[in-house]
Amino acid sequence: MADNEYDIEKIRNFSIIAHIDHGKSTISDRLLELTGTVEKRDIKEQLLDDMELERERGITIKAHPVTMSYKCSDGNTYQMNFIDTPGHVDFSYEVSRSLAACEGALLIVDAAQGVQAQTVANMNLAKDRGLEIATILNKIDLPASDPEAIKAQIKVMLGIDASNAILCSAKTGQGINDILEEIVYSLPPPSAPKDDKTKALVFDSYYDIYRGVYTYIRVVSGSLKKGDTIKFLATGKTFDILEVGIFNPKEKAVDCLRAGEVGYFLANIKTPTDVKVGDTLTIQKEHITTPLPGFKEINPVVYAGVYPVDSSDYEGLGDALAKLRLNDSALFVEQENSQVLGMGFRCGFLGLLHLEIVFERISREFNIDVITTAPSVQYILEKTNGKKDTVDNPAHFPDPTQIISIAEPWVLCNILVPADYMGNVMNLVNEKRGELVDMETIEGGRVFLHIKLPLNEVIIDFNDRLKSMTQGYASFDYEQCGYEKSKIIKLEMRINEDPVDAFSTLVHASKAEAKGRQLCKRLKEILPKQQFKVPIQAAIGGKIIARETISALSKNVTAKCYGGDITRKRKLLEKQKKGKAKMKKFGKVSIPQSAFIEILKSSDT
């Protein structure tokens, strides 16, 4: 829309809410094609997903705004700002900030699969923001589609009247024009600003090695143009704007961004951490001090150690993590040194998907083989000296006599499961120390479970086991719900009576013995034999709760004796016995790195 045609009433800002594989990216491609934003010759599948990993997995990892121009049936041309947001729960804060930049959202539901857990979670975020919702049923061309049943499901599960939902097929293009008309007529324009003072919401950023940080913004009031001196309210930093623009879908410079519009600016920002998602941007000379609501610092919830398999790759791994942090401010990295794994890094992530994506990118984009320690969560310790401390690494766990109480993070899980698998799922929940909060029965023979679970029980294998025991039919989503006091202890693994921190772990007291036996058995299988018997022990404080013994390598010292008195053989056996006892007393067990890799890769741990 040209500057002289600016009209806030003809702007529509919207996002899309959908579960994985419900057709969000395909509908986005059709919208870009139909509005002429992208030429037909340039159209490719998942156009807004730049990363190879995004395209391969069919998920959105990074937000991608795009501005489209659409001539409606009423004869007017509308500016449509579409913000393609991540769908996964790990990125829920980024999603909430992107939704804050919109007035409406398209709810896309697969007409064959129906509402899934992730859809419910993101719909709750949209409702909290007061967004107007337009409902779309996709994949109506599939033989298994049942639009009427899905409409009833949406009404029950989401509380939305879906009787007038648009029926479409992104694959064939059917109903896409109706979606554009629905955006114009059903979704509201931005509210007229109360004053002319400039305020803009930062909802994402991207680092370019040549131009610095592209800051993605939604202008709430006032305007931004080249030459303005802007200020970030959360960090207090100021910069001069060098360029403002929109995404079409690539960057396109414009003269000015006005209230209601979505775009970017460049201001010679070289450090990505200077830009925080959710921050408020103002013009420095206007002296605004009240930020837009909703900003918070993003803190990691899952931690893991990452080490190069080849120690010569240590510097390369450090460079790789530094480059990933440029476009991922939520990634926490600090140096760490392990006695057995050598030099490495302790990393913090928003969740398991975030962790998986980072490690996959290190392997693919930087060609570095890494070992990762088992993921852990951050515990809050109340100590006898009156201080509160946080710990996420068993190696830093203090003496139990210094601790009054320990609190662990809990999450509220939403699980959608066919009723036939309810018994299996509830057994898993009980095994994972979960608590049933609420249960709803839905049409179509499905059950919607609301369950509280400790986060450390969720991050290891919960999703994999849930999928396998329900043959892939269950969908699962979770959100943080605070800390609760719990009996967390350090399970220490000792090999030949020497503690090995790399194998030690923090567990709930009720699971310590089973975990200890499991680790002892696994280590007995993996560790090589020595010239003497090697005890493997699992201990809590000074108490041994599990033990296995690796038998000694045997040598037949009497083989050279043939005939003669039996006392000769006895002397040799006594001598061997004394030698092994002395060796056990002074000998050290050298644990090969392959053993650590085996343990860390093992699904049992």
Side-chain angles (χ1 to χ4, degrees), residues 221-382:
S221 60
S223 63
L224 287 169
K225 61 185 184 301
K226 181 179 177 180
D228 285 342
T229 301
I230 53 99
K231 180 181 180 181
F232 291 107
L233 292 187
T235 61
K237 301 205 171 178
T238 60
F239 298 95
D240 292 330
I241 292 182
L242 303 176
E243 177 181 305
V244 295
I246 58 172
F247 295 94
N248 199 21
K250 297 296 181 187
E251 301 86 7
K252 178 185 174 184
V254 296
D255 294 333
C256 182
L257 285 176
R258 295 182 171 88
E261 295 186 319
V262 172
Y264 72 89
F265 74 85
L266 286 166
N268 206 24
I269 304 171
K270 297 299 182 187
T271 309
T273 49
D274 286 344
V275 179
K276 295 187 180 293
V277 173
D279 200 353
T280 301
L281 188 77
T282 68
I283 301 288
Q284 187 185 21
K285 64 184 179 185
E286 292 179 357
H287 303 294
I288 294 171
T289 55
T290 309
L292 296 166
F295 172 74
K296 66 177 183 181
E297 292 281 354
I298 307 177
N299 295 313
V301 294
V302 175
Y303 294 81
V306 53
Y307 299 86
V309 171
D310 183 347
S311 58
S312 63
D313 284 335
Y314 171 72
E315 286 189 10
L317 177 58
D319 290 342
L321 288 167
K323 285 174 182 172
L324 290 176
R325 282 201 76 198
L326 292 176
N327 281 318
D328 189 353
S329 57
L331 176 62
F332 166 80
V333 179
E334 67 177 9
Q335 287 185 330
E336 186 175 61
N337 191 11
S338 166
Q339 290 179 338
V340 285
L341 298 174
M343 294 290 286
F345 298 90
R346 188 80 178 164
C347 299
F349 308 91
L350 296 173
L352 275 186
L353 177 75
H354 189 205
L355 175 150
E356 205 178 318
I357 287 165
V358 168
F359 290 150
E360 184 93 5
R361 291 185 69 187
I362 289 170
S363 174
R364 285 184 181 207
E365 297 174 24
F366 303 97
N367 202 26
I368 298 171
D369 290 328
V370 294
I371 311 166
T372 64
T373 62
S376 65
V377 299
Q378 194 170 61
Y379 300 96
I380 297 175
L381 277 56
E382 190 180 341

Side-chain angles (χ1 to χ4, degrees), residues 121-239:
N122 284 341
M123 264 305 299
N124 289 337
L125 287 174
K127 283 180 178 176
D128 291 344
R129 295 296 316 166
L131 267 58
E132 194 68 39
I133 307 294
T135 310
I136 296 158
L137 299 185
N138 190 25
K139 303 189 183 182
I140 58 164
D141 56 314
L142 295 179
S145 70
D146 188 353
E148 293 309 313
I150 304 303
K151 285 178 184 179
Q153 202 179 93
I154 292 170
K155 174 73 175 171
V156 172
M157 292 188 65
L158 304 176
I160 294 172
D161 181 9
S163 55
N164 296 321
I166 292 173
L167 306 182
C168 83
S169 167
K171 188 177 178 182
T172 64
Q174 178 187 347
I176 300 299
N177 205 71
D178 295 336
I179 294 174
L180 288 164
E181 293 288 317
E182 185 76 4
I183 292 168
V184 170
Y185 289 112
S186 293
L187 303 187
S191 303
K194 295 174 183 175
D195 54 50
D196 292 333
K197 292 198 170 181
T198 301
K199 277 189 180 182
L201 172 73
V202 175
F203 63 87
D204 210 341
S205 65
Y206 168 77
Y207 182 81
D208 183 275
I209 57 171
Y210 301 109
R211 308 193 71 189
V213 178
Y214 282 85
T215 306
Y216 298 0
I217 55 167
R218 151 71 196 272
V219 183
V220 176
S221 60
S223 63
L224 287 169
K225 61 185 184 301
K226 181 179 177 180
D228 285 342
T229 301
I230 53 99
K231 180 181 180 181
F232 291 107
L233 292 187
T235 61
K237 301 205 171 178
T238 60
F239 298 95

